[in-house]
Amino acid sequence: FPLVAREEKPRTQGLTMIIDKGLGIRETKDLLELATSYIDFWKLSFGTSALYPREILKKKIKLIKSYEIDIYPGGTFLEIAINQNKTSEYLNEAKELGFTAVEVSDGTLSLPISLRSNIIKQAKSLGFKVLTEIGKKDKNKEFKVNQMIKQLKKDVIDGADKIIVEARESGTGVSIYDQQGQADQFMLKKILLEAPNHNDIIWETPLKKQQVYFIRLLGNNVNLGNIDPREILALESLRNGLRGDTFKTI
Amino acid sequence: FPLVAREEKPRTQGLTMIIDKGLGIRETKDLLELATSYIDFWKLSFGTSALYPREILKKKIKLIKSYEIDIYPGGTFLEIAINQNKTSEYLNEAKELGFTAVEVSDGTLSLPISLRSNIIKQAKSLGFKVLTEIGKKDKNKEFKVNQMIKQLKKDVIDGADKIIVEARESGTGVSIYDQQGQADQFMLKKILLEAPNHNDIIWETPLKKQQVYFIRLLGNNVNLGNIDPREILALESLRNGLRGDTFKTI
Amino acid sequence: FPLVAREEKPRTQGLTMIIDKGLGIRETKDLLELATSYIDFWKLSFGTSALYPREILKKKIKLIKSYEIDIYPGGTFLEIAINQNKTSEYLNEAKELGFTAVEVSDGTLSLPISLRSNIIKQAKSLGFKVLTEIGKKDKNKEFKVNQMIKQLKKDVIDGADKIIVEARESGTGVSIYDQQGQADQFMLKKILLEAPNHNDIIWETPLKKQQVYFIRLLGNNVNLGNIDPREILALESLRNGLRGDTFKTI
């Protein structure tokens, strides 16, 4: 049965990033055997990578890398390192552990533009893919959409590989999302209008309704992130019109 | 400690159908070792079976069958095949892969009655168990309860083994359920009154409150479906009065 | 990167109790390899332990014990035994299976104070750790906070190792929690004021917002229970300020 056109990995669009809150080795193997074709980026959420036994972490990273998937620690971890003036140590340690990418965010801290710029360049020079995040975690300090766009453009110039529009794990009350997880139309349109290349963006869409929304809006090859690993085939079904929600529209 | 009377497998009532959105081989083994006695039907949800690597899929089907559990692909997949005039190819492929049952639904498409009837008979003649589904997925085209009952009776005559009352994965806003997942009393009573045999019906009850509701209403040996595999022991606790919610009532 | 001070196991504070609704052997191994340092108590929820194949159950208990984690069956199971006048048989069977602790609750039944007291002492004399639970499951029969406090004090005197403030699996509409899962300020303050030792208490906090609330209120070494095994690293991230929610406060 013919599926909707999806590029083979490594692909340039239709990227999927999963958020891993602590899968063990066997569960990781299960997921890789089943769904490696559908996963492009693998995020170890928040600071969880600091909590793994070191040997298990290295084993897991090595395993995931062997399936041509980029793996990186959650951005909060780097924010802590920046806060402790230990950015270089952080990047070296990430390299040593085998991570292939890093996330530069300021969800919790305020990060001066020049420092953000330097960190992106430093990470790139060390051979990492760099994903940056726009849209603050703290609702009250929420980036205005103009600031998000400005940051997006600057990050692209500084060499970021992808820009992630933040949704947290919950998908609600942050960046473009309201308390019900609905995307703000004004902010969304403005970002789409001004972004140099839609394909630079990964939209965090932890909720199914957000996944359906973006696939309907931007097509089955939109880049989506913060996907629950247990929903990876469900998402791919949506992308391929194999599920009622997108059956009629694709 | 004596449990509430539950038939051994293969049983004629108290059937449980799980919805599997992508369990890997090891997790499947874990579940079978632990809970095979409590699982009668195993559904690979939506079109996920089209997304498995073929060898993994065959291995998984073979494994599940060896535990005396019927396994079948989600109905959306057959709807797509019907839409492409490939019903026979679909059934042959399902046979080749090792599936023991198929689901005939029209959650997304409109399916002429005579065609539905023919597909049921064709699948039966190929040796499949047939589960049919009543109650449309699209809220606005929702089957009226009379149409659901008419379809139920017709499906039984055509040879369907079980009739599933649809609830989607979410359990809300479809067939007999409102947006909060509460069953409509009028529709429910009418179905119970007119169904030739209550035991023909599997009630999709993805939400715990729905499971509690039907166990209290129809007893611990009611047929329930769309159960999250990770909730299978929790459901069996409910059936056996081993959990507060049904402790007093059984 | 220095983590917030957390004691090594066996620790006297900052205890975490997980609620296991049916993890298989492989998934249990995964969790133990990854997170054994962060788990102190392992509860097999409701009556699920009655539903395991006996050999699998013994194997699982043995495995968990080998990682210095206390393991016990959910309290509902003992309530059923009490209801059938089979307390001694229950305790002997728990011993035989290898459980190291038991939970004494009256979430569903009404348990006379003297009987509760006797059961605690009986379990202690058999070498079990004893966890008792306060706060009824049935909302309408909810323990008044004064009764909860009275019970707490009595249980400590009777030899209970820890007192659990009930939240069910859902975290809502029970003991100190309202329908939204918010802790009642009056009840909470009163318990904190009157409890002989805060460290005697394990707070059931199945919802993330409850975990954040108690960590902010009582510090990163508060005892927390009813944690989803899949959230164990997420919780430990909260305890260690490795996640946005507690980043600024620790």
Side-chain angles (χ1 to χ4, degrees), chain B residues 134-136 142-155 163-166 175-176 187 191 203:
Chain B
I134 58 175
K136 287 235 177 193
E142 198 175 300
F143 266 60
K144 293 281 180 296
V145 68
N146 286 337
Q147 288 170 293
M148 289 176 70
I149 292 164
K150 192 177 155 192
Q151 190 67 67
L152 185 158
K153 291 178 177 172
K154 181 75 169 73
D155 288 351
I163 318 296
I164 297 168
V165 176
E166 163 85 270
S175 79
I176 61 167
M187 293 177 85
I191 292 171
W203 306 89

Coordinates of all heavy atoms in Angstrom, one line a residue, chain B residues 134-136 142-155 163-166 175-176 187 191 203:
Chain B
I134 N -19.3 -0.2 15.1 CA -20.4 0.7 14.8 C -20.2 2.0 15.6 O -19.6 2.0 16.7 CB -21.7 0.0 15.2 CG1 -21.8 -0.4 16.7 CG2 -22.0 -1.2 14.3 CD1 -23.1 -0.9 17.2
G135 N -20.6 3.1 15.0 CA -20.5 4.4 15.6 C -19.3 5.1 14.9 O -18.2 4.8 15.1
K136 N -19.7 6.1 14.1 CA -18.7 6.8 13.3 C -17.7 7.6 14.1 O -18.0 8.1 15.2 CB -19.4 7.7 12.3 CG -20.1 7.0 11.2 CD -19.6 7.5 9.8 CE -20.3 6.7 8.7 NZ -19.6 7.0 7.4
E142 N -22.2 11.3 12.9 CA -22.4 10.2 13.9 C -23.6 9.4 13.5 O -24.7 9.9 13.3 CB -22.6 10.9 15.2 CG -22.4 9.9 16.4 CD -22.4 10.7 17.7 OE1 -21.6 11.6 17.9 OE2 -23.3 10.4 18.5
F143 N -23.4 8.1 13.5 CA -24.5 7.1 13.4 C -25.6 7.5 14.4 O -25.3 7.6 15.6 CB -24.1 5.7 13.7 CG -23.7 4.9 12.5 CD1 -22.6 5.4 11.7 CD2 -24.3 3.7 12.2 CE1 -22.2 4.6 10.6 CE2 -23.9 3.0 11.1 CZ -22.8 3.4 10.3
K144 N -26.8 7.6 14.0 CA -27.9 7.6 15.0 C -28.0 6.2 15.6 O -27.6 5.2 15.0 CB -29.2 8.0 14.3 CG -29.3 9.4 13.8 CD -29.6 10.4 14.9 CE -29.6 11.8 14.3 NZ -28.3 12.2 13.7
V145 N -28.4 6.2 16.8 CA -28.4 4.9 17.5 C -29.3 3.9 16.8 O -28.9 2.7 16.7 CB -28.9 5.1 19.0 CG1 -30.4 5.4 19.1 CG2 -28.7 3.8 19.8
N146 N -30.3 4.3 16.1 CA -31.1 3.3 15.4 C -30.3 2.7 14.2 O -30.4 1.5 14.0 CB -32.4 3.9 14.8 CG -33.4 4.2 15.9 OD1 -33.3 3.5 16.9 ND2 -34.3 5.1 15.7
Q147 N -29.5 3.5 13.6 CA -28.6 3.0 12.6 C -27.6 2.0 13.1 O -27.2 1.0 12.5 CB -28.0 4.1 11.8 CG -29.0 4.9 10.9 CD -28.4 6.2 10.4 OE1 -28.1 7.1 11.1 NE2 -28.2 6.2 9.1
M148 N -27.1 2.4 14.3 CA -26.1 1.5 15.0 C -26.7 0.2 15.2 O -26.1 -0.9 15.0 CB -25.6 2.2 16.3 CG -24.7 3.4 16.1 SD -24.2 4.2 17.7 CE -23.1 2.9 18.4
I149 N -27.9 0.2 15.7 CA -28.6 -1.1 16.1 C -28.9 -1.9 14.8 O -28.6 -3.1 14.8 CB -29.9 -0.8 16.9 CG1 -29.5 -0.2 18.3 CG2 -30.7 -2.1 17.0 CD1 -30.7 0.4 18.9
K150 N -29.3 -1.2 13.8 CA -29.6 -1.9 12.5 C -28.4 -2.6 12.0 O -28.4 -3.7 11.6 CB -30.1 -0.9 11.5 CG -30.7 -1.4 10.3 CD -31.3 -0.3 9.4 CE -31.3 -0.7 7.9 NZ -31.5 0.5 7.1
Q151 N -27.3 -1.8 12.1 CA -26.0 -2.3 11.6 C -25.5 -3.5 12.4 O -25.0 -4.5 11.9 CB -25.0 -1.2 11.6 CG -23.7 -1.5 10.9 CD -23.8 -1.7 9.4 OE1 -24.2 -0.7 8.7 NE2 -23.7 -2.9 8.9
L152 N -25.7 -3.4 13.7 CA -25.3 -4.5 14.6 C -26.0 -5.8 14.3 O -25.4 -6.8 14.1 CB -25.6 -4.0 16.1 CG -25.2 -4.9 17.2 CD1 -25.2 -4.1 18.5 CD2 -26.1 -6.1 17.5
K153 N -27.3 -5.7 14.1 CA -28.1 -6.9 13.8 C -27.7 -7.5 12.4 O -27.5 -8.7 12.3 CB -29.6 -6.5 13.8 CG -30.1 -6.2 15.2 CD -31.6 -5.8 15.1 CE -32.2 -5.6 16.5 NZ -33.5 -5.0 16.4
K154 N -27.5 -6.6 11.5 CA -27.1 -7.1 10.1 C -25.7 -7.7 10.2 O -25.5 -8.8 9.6 CB -27.0 -5.9 9.2 CG -26.7 -6.2 7.7 CD -27.8 -6.8 7.0 CE -27.5 -6.9 5.5 NZ -26.5 -7.9 5.1
D155 N -24.8 -7.1 10.9 CA -23.4 -7.7 11.0 C -23.4 -9.1 11.6 O -22.7 -10.0 11.2 CB -22.5 -6.8 11.8 CG -22.1 -5.5 11.1 OD1 -22.4 -5.4 9.9 OD2 -21.5 -4.6 11.8
I163 N -19.2 -7.4 17.7 CA -19.5 -6.0 17.2 C -18.9 -5.0 18.2 O -19.2 -5.1 19.4 CB -21.0 -5.8 17.1 CG1 -21.7 -7.0 16.6 CG2 -21.3 -4.4 16.4 CD1 -21.4 -7.3 15.1
I164 N -18.1 -4.1 17.7 CA -17.4 -3.2 18.6 C -18.1 -1.9 18.6 O -18.4 -1.3 17.6 CB -15.9 -3.0 18.2 CG1 -15.2 -4.3 18.3 CG2 -15.3 -1.9 19.0 CD1 -13.8 -4.3 17.6
V165 N -18.5 -1.4 19.8 CA -19.0 0.0 19.9 C -17.9 1.0 20.1 O -17.2 1.0 21.1 CB -20.0 0.1 21.1 CG1 -20.5 1.6 21.2 CG2 -21.2 -0.8 20.9
E166 N -17.7 1.8 19.0 CA -16.5 2.7 18.8 C -16.4 3.7 20.0 O -17.4 4.2 20.4 CB -16.8 3.4 17.5 CG -16.0 4.6 17.3 CD -14.6 4.3 16.7 OE1 -13.7 4.2 17.5 OE2 -14.5 4.3 15.4
S175 N -19.8 8.2 18.9 CA -20.8 7.2 19.1 C -21.6 7.5 20.4 O -22.3 8.5 20.5 CB -20.2 5.8 19.0 OG -19.6 5.3 20.2
I176 N -21.5 6.6 21.4 CA -22.4 6.8 22.6 C -21.8 7.8 23.6 O -22.4 8.1 24.6 CB -22.7 5.5 23.3 CG1 -21.4 4.8 23.8 CG2 -23.5 4.5 22.4 CD1 -21.7 3.7 24.7
M187 N -29.0 6.2 24.4 CA -28.4 5.4 23.3 C -28.0 4.0 23.9 O -28.3 3.0 23.3 CB -27.2 6.0 22.7 CG -27.5 7.3 21.9 SD -26.0 8.1 21.3 CE -25.7 7.2 19.8
I191 N -29.5 0.3 22.8 CA -28.7 -0.8 22.3 C -28.8 -2.0 23.1 O -29.0 -3.1 22.6 CB -27.2 -0.3 22.3 CG1 -27.0 0.8 21.3 CG2 -26.3 -1.5 22.0 CD1 -25.6 1.4 21.3
W203 N -17.4 -3.3 24.2 CA -17.5 -1.9 24.4 C -16.1 -1.3 24.5 O -15.3 -1.6 25.3 CB -18.2 -1.6 25.7 CG -19.6 -2.3 25.8 CD1 -19.8 -3.5 26.3 CD2 -20.8 -1.7 25.3 NE1 -21.2 -3.8 26.1 CE2 -21.8 -2.7 25.6 CE3 -21.2 -0.5 24.8 CZ2 -23.1 -2.5 25.3 CZ3 -22.5 -0.3 24.5 CH2 -23.5 -1.3 24.7

